[in-house]
Amino acid sequence: MSQQPIYTDYFFDEPAFNTHDGGYIPLAVSVAPEQALQIPSLLEPDRQTATDVWYTVTAQAGESQLLPGPKTKTWGYNANLLGKTIVFKRGKHYHITLKNELPELTTFHWHGLDVSGPYIDGGCHAPVYPGEAKEIEFTVDQPAASLWLHAHPCPNTGYDVWQGLATSVLVQDDVEAALPFPRHYGVDDLPLVLQDRHFHENNQWDYDADYDPDGVQGPTALINGTVNPTFDVTTQRLRLRLLDGANRREWRLHFSDDLVFEQIGSDGGILPEPVKMTKLMLTCAERAEIIVDFGHYQPGDVVTLYSDDTPLVKFKIHAFTPDDTKLPDHLVDIDDPAVDPDAPIHKVVMSGMDESVELNGKKFGMQRIDDRQELGKTEYWDITNTNDMEGGMVHPYHTHGGQFTVVSRNGHAPYPNEHGYKDTIGVNPGETVRIKMTFNHPGIFMYHCHIIEHEDGGMMAQLQVYTPEDPHKHYQLMDMDTLMAALAKERGVSVDQLNIPSMNSYKMMGMDMC
């Protein structure tokens, strides 16, 4: 393998780090005792054939022992908190039963999965009501990647995710399987879902009490739903599938001793080449796969993963078999389709903070189509963050409906770890990021800032991906009156008595979501 540079900075503009936010809540080490890192079990299929697989994914309420004392009331997928890891294999056809055993409606959004919209994609137009089960099916046809499933019932997404509705989704394919990566799940291949929470009286969460229109945060790190986790390292090389599953928090990750690691994957799959680094910043909803080599450590040593100055996970080194595996210079090929020269350049402008957030000068309208792109065409999208560098923030932009490639940042090259497929990208204040997007399925898809309280507060829009044969296909879209009436009935209150904090963002701007 040729000599590679080692990157030692976080790439993003430091004045825009969330540590400078007026409402920033720093992480603090919990007084709770250390405990073993929870590794989500794999969801077992209901049945399968050579070509088809059937799963049941259930959103359910439960209780979790997160701190000493009373258990915390939580939500999860096929689990009390977060969920079981769901595995898809490229080329297979999946039949998914979506069951809602919660007290109110939710949705099941397959973040990063290349499927049709709006009903299979699982945004706000695909509610599953309490006691209801819905069937969806799709064929997985995209590269191996670390994706995730989370609730998306805007304007209530922040609440559902805060309660625990988020879990890892892994796509596997033959290309990734041939690469020299660790892949023994739970031993040398681990999902790490990075979140934070504020524990109130009796160890409970209180979303409304913690609500901040610029993003809900808590001082306690929760890694795979574990406070103060440790992991016993029994192999020299360890693959970590990192997910920023927090509502607001950015994670600036590094190891003790400035241990060098290699990033091998981003949101939508394996990178074209590994990137060596000592620091990695993730904005909300971004994923990164890294390989850590503990070859220079001895049994009894402890290597700690930090975010800024706060320890997140302690890796306790045990005896392992020496492993001299080296990564090749080239990992995978990335498609680079030509852009239609006659196609328009789509413009996305993310503006404001707090309740004033908007996208292209508007707040989200459930019934409004804001943009259009023809199925199969490749077109440029320019994503701009109009915040000022002083006092502004990084806005993580996410599009439903597939993966994009990053062309440039303010006309310059993307960051070194942005040369693969992505569905989420942090945009610095005063910056325009150009991406190249091809949609492979028709439908209605949302695009938005993934600070969840920003999307709930209206920094979101939606586009229609159309076919020439049916350019104005009609879709049954959710409307605000139906949504509010359903939530009011489920909570046993009148519509006027509903408490959904994000709706204040619309009221303060004199707008509605209809």
Side-chain angles (χ1 to χ4, degrees), residues 293-311:
D293 190 324
F294 296 105
H296 294 298
Y297 295 92
Q298 303 298 320
D301 289 344
V302 176
V303 179
T304 303
L305 176 65
Y306 289 87
S307 181
D308 293 324
D309 297 325
T310 304

Side-chain angles (χ1 to χ4, degrees), residues 13 16 350 383-390 392-395 409-411 427-433:
D13 293 339
M350 297 183 290
I383 319 301
T384 299
N385 177 357
T386 64
N387 286 175
D388 294 329
M389 184 59 70
E390 298 299 327
M393 61 172 60
V394 177
H395 286 295
R409 286 181 174 271
N410 273 354
V427 184
N428 293 295
E431 184 176 48
T432 295
V433 174

Side-chain angles (χ1 to χ4, degrees), residues 23 27 58 71-72 148 164 177 180 207 243 253 269 324 346 369 400 403 415 425 445 505:
L27 291 174
T58 303
K71 292 184 177 181
T72 305
W148 61 308
Y207 181 80
L243 159 64
L253 304 171
D324 61 359
H346 303 265
I369 304 300
H400 295 218
Q403 301 289 329
Y415 296 151
I425 187 165
F445 298 101
S505 296

Side-chain angles (χ1 to χ4, degrees), residues 10 14 35 38 86-87 103 106 130 237 260 277 287 292 297 334 380 417 475 504:
Y10 291 115
E14 193 280 336
Q35 53 189 314
Q38 295 290 321
I86 303 169
V87 177
T106 190
R237 299 163 72 236
V260 175
M277 55 212 324
R287 284 91 66 209
V292 188
Y297 295 92
I334 302 296
Y380 289 129
N417 60 345
Y475 295 87
N504 291 329

Side-chain angles (χ1 to χ4, degrees), residues 40-333:
S41 59
L42 298 175
L43 182 63
E44 293 294 329
D46 300 330
R47 64 187 180 99
Q48 55 186 321
T49 67
T51 58
D52 290 62
V53 181
W54 285 258
Y55 279 127
T56 298
V57 180
T58 303
Q60 63 187 61
E63 293 185 325
S64 302
Q65 189 72 62
L66 304 177
L67 297 175
K71 292 184 177 181
T72 305
K73 297 183 185 302
T74 54
W75 291 357
Y77 295 114
N78 303 89
N80 289 332
L81 174 61
L82 300 181
K84 296 184 178 181
T85 298
I86 303 169
V87 177
F88 294 139
K89 294 185 178 180
R90 187 171 193 174
K92 291 202 171 185
H93 191 75
Y94 288 86
H95 309 256
I96 314 290
T97 300
L98 306 173
K99 295 178 66 176
N100 182 1
E101 295 182 357
L102 300 171
E104 61 186 56
L105 70 87
T106 190
T107 75
F108 297 72
H109 171 48
W110 302 95
H111 185 124
L113 195 63
D114 194 0
V115 292
S116 65
Y119 312 123
I120 295 177
D121 172 69
C124 65
H125 303 300
V128 182
Y129 295 94
E132 185 178 60
K134 285 190 173 180
E135 308 289 335
I136 61 172
E137 59 180 281
F138 50 83
T139 298
V140 172
D141 187 16
Q142 66 189 94
S146 296
L147 314 179
W148 61 308
L149 169 67
H150 66 82
H152 207 316
C154 41
N156 219 31
T157 301
Y159 177 81
D160 277 24
V161 173
W162 191 258
Q163 289 299 108
L165 291 180
T167 197
S168 295
V169 176
L170 308 183
V171 176
Q172 300 175 341
D173 70 5
D174 292 339
V175 175
E176 185 276 336
L179 291 168
F181 296 163
R183 56 175 58 82
H184 185 180
Y185 182 84
V187 176
D188 62 8
D189 183 356
L190 311 179
L192 284 188
V193 181
L194 310 178
Q195 297 179 314
D196 56 328
R197 293 292 187 273
H198 181 190
F199 289 87
H200 292 263
E201 186 178 2
N202 293 321
N203 293 340
Q204 301 308 306
W205 298 336
D206 189 337
Y207 181 80
D208 291 350
D210 293 330
Y211 183 78
D212 182 331
D214 266 338
V216 178
Q217 307 165 71
T220 302
L222 208 63
I223 313 302
N224 288 358
T226 317
V227 178
N228 292 343
T230 66
F231 180 77
D232 291 327
V233 175
T234 57
T235 60
Q236 180 176 324
R237 299 163 72 236
L238 184 64
R239 178 184 189 173
L240 300 177
R241 300 173 184 259
L242 303 161
L243 159 64
D244 183 344
N247 287 43
R248 164 65 183 108
R249 188 172 299 277
E250 300 158 0
W251 303 86
R252 279 171 289 277
L253 304 171
H254 61 97
F255 289 94
S256 49
D257 301 334
D258 284 329
L259 177 62
V260 175
F261 54 89
E262 293 182 277
Q263 184 174 347
I264 58 166
S266 56
D267 304 332
I270 304 304
L271 292 172
E273 61 183 32
V275 180
K276 290 187 176 181
M277 55 212 324
T278 61
K279 293 181 172 67
L280 171 66
M281 176 167 152
L282 293 179
T283 63
C284 295
E286 284 191 298
R287 284 91 66 209
E289 294 189 36
I290 66 173
I291 293 179
V292 188
D293 190 324
F294 296 105
H296 294 298
Y297 295 92
Q298 303 298 320
D301 289 344
V302 176
V303 179
T304 303
L305 176 65
Y306 289 87
S307 181
D308 293 324
D309 297 325
T310 304
L312 300 181
V313 185
K314 292 183 178 180
F315 293 94
K316 297 185 175 183
I317 310 300
H318 294 256
F320 51 71
T321 301
D323 183 351
D324 61 359
T325 303
K326 303 298 181 185
L327 295 178
D329 291 338
H330 180 73
L331 298 177
V332 299
D333 296 326

